[in-house]
Amino acid sequence: MLVLGIESTCDETACAIVKDGKTILSNIVSSQIDLHNEFGGVVPELACRRHVDVMIPVIDAAIKEANVSIEDIDLFAVAHGPGLIGALLIGLHAAKGLALALNKPFIGVNHVEAHLYAALMSNQEEVVFPCLGVVLSGGHTALVLMHSNDQCTLISQTVDDAIGEAFDKVAKLLGLPYPGGPEIEKLARQGNPLKYPFKSGNVKGRPLDFSFSGLKTSVLYSIQGQNCRDQPISLPYNDLCDVAASFQYVAVNDIIKKTIAAANQYHCNSIVFGGGVTNNQYLRDRFSEKAGHLKQFWPTLGLSLDNAAMIAGLGYHIYSRKQVGDMLDLEAMTRIPFASG
Ligand code: KG4
Ligand code: ZN
């Protein structure tokens, strides 16, 4: 079965063609980093306009690279949430239009669940369900119990900032470009992770939940003092590296500690990782060190950031289970809650 997937939830316009949920025939991503960099974050209105401009060329490129014809596509899958409303609408309408014109089924996919499926697509070995899913992206941080490729229940999540958002905000404080995650990782390689004793956030009565906004504020206070203003500060290079390393050390340890606790509590022997922050090599190395007893499924670097291959791949499984596509009145959803565990 050939599935064409479309992704436009935030600042990447992407289209991919995937065979039977796993074989990637093409995976085109048009990034908007250049557009948003000067504003230090994603500007929704600009993101939407860029999606409109590049959506059709990106779809054309995916079809060309896969060396198929649009008539060969059996199913159109699209990320219909969560994300920016205007951005979502562009991808959703493109998928609906294609499905309608070609008289083929279309299916809406949860972008966050697709991030987890990206790790399963990336590995030849099959995971044993139920397993623990760890979502570490710019918009979400959550632990979920995965019952199958496309069904999971929420165990815990962040009560404030997502982990990627925390990386981006700390990077902004340090005057680094957007997106800040990779910049922090780069600086941290040369820094002392024990220089600043930052504290990770805990949520009273909910030991598996995350909180990163306090960590960000403690970084701010320690570099600018209590009466600081929320704007970039210029530090000597060595200090920048130490702040980045200390922040990353605390954030990563917090995620590892809660992930291992959840794996024990829910009797999971395998962990599936998803989201852009899984690009972080320090995070991967620390997990192998501290959770070597658990089988780990990581996305390849090409599938960890936003992409449409994961949307097409998960779309295949949803459609195979339901045996029917979604109605054409499916709506874009800025938030899609996980089913509560
Ligand atoms: O999953 P993603 O592409 O988009 C969302 O669905 O949110 O994740 C983007 C996030 C950004 O916050 C970015 O800073 C972060 O992933 N990120 C990283 C790294 N590469 C990307 N964070 C830490 N270390 C990295 N190497
Ligand atoms: Zn994402």
Side-chain angles (χ1 to χ4, degrees):
M1 184 178 204
L2 278 188
V3 183
L4 183 148
I6 293 178
E7 155 66 36
S8 69
T9 56
C10 187
D11 59 344
E12 261 92 28
T13 320
C15 181
I17 294 173
V18 174
K19 192 174 165 207
D20 297 335
K22 207 142 185 177
T23 310
I24 300 172
L25 303 186
S26 62
N27 187 16
I28 307 290
V29 181
S30 169
S31 168
Q32 304 184 356
I33 287 179
D34 59 320
L35 186 66
H36 304 291
N37 202 350
E38 73 171 289
F39 304 101
V42 177
V43 183
E45 181 61 29
L46 294 181
C48 303
R49 286 166 191 258
R50 178 67 73 82
H51 284 308
V52 172
D53 289 344
V54 304
M55 181 58 72
I56 304 285
V58 163
I59 294 172
D60 281 342
I63 291 169
K64 191 162 174 224
E65 189 170 307
N67 203 15
V68 297
S69 130
I70 190 83
E71 284 82 18
D72 298 332
I73 303 296
D74 301 300
L75 172 71
F76 292 91
V78 61
H80 73 115
L84 304 170
I85 188 67
L88 288 166
L89 285 171
I90 314 301
L92 184 61
H93 287 299
K96 284 180 180 177
L98 285 167
L100 188 63
L102 294 157
N103 198 21
K104 296 285 172 69
F106 123 98
I107 200 109
V109 172
N110 178 332
H111 171 91
V112 178
E113 292 179 7
H115 268 304
L116 291 173
Y117 183 69
L120 302 180
M121 274 181 107
S122 301
N123 287 274
Q124 287 307 318
E125 197 177 332
E126 296 288 321
V127 71
V128 177
F129 295 108
C131 61
L132 185 67
V134 182
V135 179
L136 303 171
S137 77
H140 296 85
T141 302
L143 300 177
V144 301
L145 192 59
M146 296 178 74
H147 308 286
S148 67
N149 286 305
D150 66 316
Q151 288 178 306
C152 57
T153 48
L154 179 69
I155 295 174
S156 67
Q157 62 188 329
T158 179
V159 295
D160 41 56
D161 292 347
I163 178 64
E165 198 179 348
F167 267 90
D168 294 339
K169 285 180 175 171
V170 168
K172 200 169 177 181
L173 290 176
L174 299 178
L176 303 170
Y178 175 85
E183 304 291 328
I184 296 270
E185 182 182 12
K186 238 184 277 162
L187 287 181
R189 277 191 214 120
Q190 296 159 66
N192 172 6
L194 303 177
K195 173 82 183 284
Y196 294 92
F198 299 137
K199 285 232 162 21
S200 58
N202 287 310
V203 183
K204 206 169 162 209
R206 282 149 58 191
L208 298 179
D209 272 355
F210 298 92
S211 167
F212 294 111
S213 74
L215 173 57
K216 178 206 69 185
T217 309
S218 73
V219 172
L220 179 68
Y221 285 168
S222 65
I223 59 179
Q224 291 195 339
Q226 296 281 339
N227 299 321
C228 56
R229 292 172 50 209
D230 198 352
Q231 52 182 229
I233 181 164
S234 65
L235 286 177
Y237 185 73
N238 286 349
D239 289 344
L240 275 184
C241 295
D242 290 342
V243 171
S246 302
F247 160 76
Q248 181 176 259
Y249 173 80
V250 170
V252 165
N253 275 347
D254 181 59
I255 293 166
I256 294 177
K257 188 183 83 190
K258 289 169 182 168
T259 300
I260 294 177
N264 288 338
Q265 192 173 326
Y266 288 85
H267 311 292
C268 295
N269 297 320
S270 300
I271 323 177
V272 175
F273 294 90
V277 180
T278 64
N279 248 334
N280 187 297
Q281 194 55 45
Y282 177 77
L283 173 90
R284 292 185 181 219
D285 293 344
R286 301 286 298 183
F287 255 109
S288 327
E289 228 175 270
K290 299 226 170 170
H293 58 294
L294 298 166
K295 177 118 202 60
Q296 297 172 25
F297 291 79
W298 294 90
T300 55
L301 295 185
L303 292 183
S304 59
L305 294 170
D306 287 350
N307 67 86
M310 65 184 191
I311 307 297
L314 185 57
Y316 165 82
H317 287 284
I318 301 172
Y319 185 78
S320 302
R321 176 172 56 80
K322 297 205 307 196
Q323 289 295 312
V324 60
D326 281 317
M327 305 288 283
L328 285 172
D329 62 358
L330 181 78
E331 295 198 347
M333 296 172 74
T334 54
R335 322 182 103 225
I336 308 182
F338 281 108
S340 188

